[in-house]
Amino acid sequence: MGGGKRFAVLLCAEDSDYVKKRYGGYYGVFINMLAEEGETWDVFKVANGEFPDDEQIGRFDGFVITGSCNDAHGNDVWICELISLLKKLDSLNKKILGICFGHQILCRALGGKTGRAISGWDIGLASIHLSPSSSNIFSSLKIPTTLSIIECHRDEVRELPPKAEVIAWSEKTGVEMFRYGDHMMGIQGHPEYTHDILIHLIDRLRQRTLITVNRLPDRIFELVKSYSWKCYKNHMQDSYADELKANMGKVEPDKDAWKKLCTSFLKGRL
């Protein structure tokens, strides 16, 4: 690829060995969804402190912010530096597409608020509904007004930045997508994910005991009598993770529609 537009992925997560081997890392996953012939794509591992300088910024037509295991409401050094970068990109009117953590950190950089989702983890397939205004924005794409997407998050946008607009919602998340001007857009779900990636991620979250069950069953006290709390907790996490994986094959995400939506926004074709 080369000679045409230039884009950069701002990588906010550490690649697992599995994703590196199968997809070329999360950078490779985004390239597979977004890259088109004649374009140049680069990556900056911002979670490791690797940021573009002012000269490099000027070379790019757009940026994509990835998901992360970190909290967008945190104050890690690299997160604060990323917020400063996003403010600069806004002032330069650069195209920015934020995904999951990227959606949340973009909101924060523009003056909104993020935090733990009140309803807890959202993992699996979700149906999101485009608002009437977004239906007009995306009318040229001829995509459905309800789209299925893979979700994997426990944080959410709590309050939109001034002048931002909600353009999609779901039953569990009020701000599934937002738009800020014509140059910035956030998506809470993962249009780039495959079932395989999500299943792998569920296993990683289970190993790190990060998956929690939102509502414990009525028989909790009966179970606690026969298990130590630690064993019970591990049992519930394993059962929940297995249930999530078993349900994954029932519905396919609308990957073609998401690819069309994301590439059209990022490349100014709307």
Side-chain angles (χ1 to χ4, degrees), residues 69-76 79 101 104 108 116 154-155:
C69 289
N70 290 75
D71 298 325
H73 52 272
N75 290 308
D76 307 62
I79 288 177
F101 169 89
Q104 297 159 12
R108 180 181 172 187
R116 286 282 188 263
R154 63 173 173 174
D155 294 342

Side-chain angles (χ1 to χ4, degrees), residues 176-191:
E176 283 284 0
M177 294 176 64
F178 76 88
R179 184 175 68 124
Y180 184 85
D182 294 325
H183 62 299
M184 294 189 170
M185 184 170 73
I187 302 175
Q188 179 58 74
H190 285 275

Side-chain angles (χ1 to χ4, degrees), residues 184-248:
M184 294 189 170
M185 184 170 73
I187 302 175
Q188 179 58 74
H190 285 275
E192 81 283 11
Y193 272 13
T194 62
H195 281 171
D196 174 66
I197 290 174
L198 182 58
I199 288 171
H200 168 67
L201 187 53
I202 289 171
D203 284 335
R204 288 183 69 195
L205 291 171
R206 173 164 57 179
Q207 289 166 8
R208 297 173 63 183
T209 65
L210 289 175
I211 292 179
T212 55
V213 183
N214 297 330
R215 184 172 62 86
L216 297 177
D218 295 335
R219 296 181 69 239
I220 179 171
F221 297 111
E222 188 175 330
L223 282 166
V224 169
K225 288 177 185 176
S226 56
Y227 291 102
S228 70
W229 174 247
K230 183 177 181 181
C231 288
Y232 170 75
K233 185 178 176 183
N234 290 340
H235 168 75
M236 290 305 298
Q237 288 180 145
D238 288 348
S239 297
Y240 184 45
D242 289 341
E243 181 183 348
L244 289 170
K245 291 195 289 184
N247 290 334
M248 278 304 299

Side-chain angles (χ1 to χ4, degrees), residues 59-102:
R59 301 174 192 166
F60 294 105
D61 298 285
F63 296 81
V64 179
I65 321 166
T66 74
S68 176
C69 289
N70 290 75
D71 298 325
H73 52 272
N75 290 308
D76 307 62
V77 172
W78 72 268
I79 288 177
C80 294
E81 191 171 348
L82 177 58
I83 289 171
S84 295
L85 172 61
L86 295 177
K87 289 179 178 179
K88 181 179 293 185
L89 295 179
D90 176 35
S91 71
L92 296 171
N93 212 41
K94 293 288 186 179
K95 283 277 188 181
I96 301 182
L97 174 64
I99 303 296
C100 197
F101 169 89

Side-chain angles (χ1 to χ4, degrees), residues 15 17 193 265:
D15 291 323
D17 290 339
Y193 272 13
F265 165 76

Side-chain angles (χ1 to χ4, degrees), residues 141-162:
L141 304 181
K142 298 181 180 179
I143 58 176
T145 56
T146 298
L147 294 171
S148 179
I149 194 169
I150 291 176
E151 303 270 7
C152 188
H153 64 99
R154 63 173 173 174
D155 294 342
E156 65 182 358
V157 168
R158 293 275 188 85
E159 183 179 315
L160 279 177

